[in-house]
Amino acid sequence: MSHPPPPDQPWPIGFTATCLRATLYTLLIAGLAQGAYIEALHFPEVRFSEYGFTELAQSAVLLTASLLLLYTRQVLKVLPTVTLLMFAFTFSSFIREQDYFLDTRVAYHTWKVLVTLVIVPILFWVIRERKRFIEEFASYANSFSFGLFAGGVLTTYVFSRLYGRQDFWMAVMEEHYVRTFKDAAEEVVELLGYALILIAVIELTLLARRWALARRKA
């Protein structure tokens, strides 16, 4: 199916709408931080484990982002190759977050098989449609959403991994080292990165709606 490209100039966002979205995003980030705070103070038995707030919130954020990307692609029919590749990234990350449950309740390394089944066919399709992907990416790369998405990826997959290294925390805490501190630092930063990715996807969906409306009026 051929999808018309979005217009070069998206409809502008009003000041009121910008303030509303900024407020909602602030509340989202604050809510996630508060959830991690409550988990640390009042739920020591599941603190930063697979059953704790932080890990469950990570999964919820990634799943929400994945569903929004599917909506953007299948319903709004905007940036089909870009959103499909982004979906492969967010949904694979969601599967990765279920590694403990899949390994213990299904079979060891199940998550790796599922991630492969998601990524390989999508990568094959995007590479086959690489000309369309490059055209779509040119429209997306200059958006606020892309900057946020890149920031979320760097926060989660670069900074949190390096910041959460055990040797670093052992050096900082010396004889007082407790693994929970390392886990808390890494998982909360990772949650922040996922939240930025979700906000980026929300912005992409809103942008896609404006493009879709402009396309209907053209």
Side-chain angles (χ1 to χ4, degrees), residues 33-53:
Q34 186 66 15
Y37 173 81
I38 293 172
E39 175 186 5
L41 264 63
H42 302 293
F43 299 95
E45 66 281 1
V46 295
R47 185 183 295 155
F48 304 109
S49 70
E50 286 75 12
Y51 297 95
F53 169 84

Side-chain angles (χ1 to χ4, degrees), residues 47-115:
R47 185 183 295 155
F48 304 109
S49 70
E50 286 75 12
Y51 297 95
F53 169 84
T54 302
E55 289 276 1
L56 294 176
Q58 289 173 359
S59 294
V61 165
L62 287 168
L63 183 59
T64 302
S66 299
L67 293 174
L68 283 173
L69 286 167
L70 284 180
Y71 170 78
T72 301
R73 183 180 192 275
Q74 299 301 124
V75 178
L76 299 179
K77 300 185 184 305
V78 172
L79 304 178
T81 55
V82 167
T83 51
L84 186 62
L85 188 61
M86 292 171 68
F87 169 79
F89 179 82
T90 58
F91 196 63
S92 295
S93 298
F94 169 75
I95 295 172
R96 174 64 179 85
E97 289 297 329
Q98 316 313 309
D99 61 335
Y100 172 80
F101 301 107
L102 292 170
D103 287 348
T104 56
R105 299 182 182 182
V106 182
Y108 197 58
H109 293 318
T110 299
W111 72 269
K112 294 181 180 179
V113 175
L114 295 176
V115 166

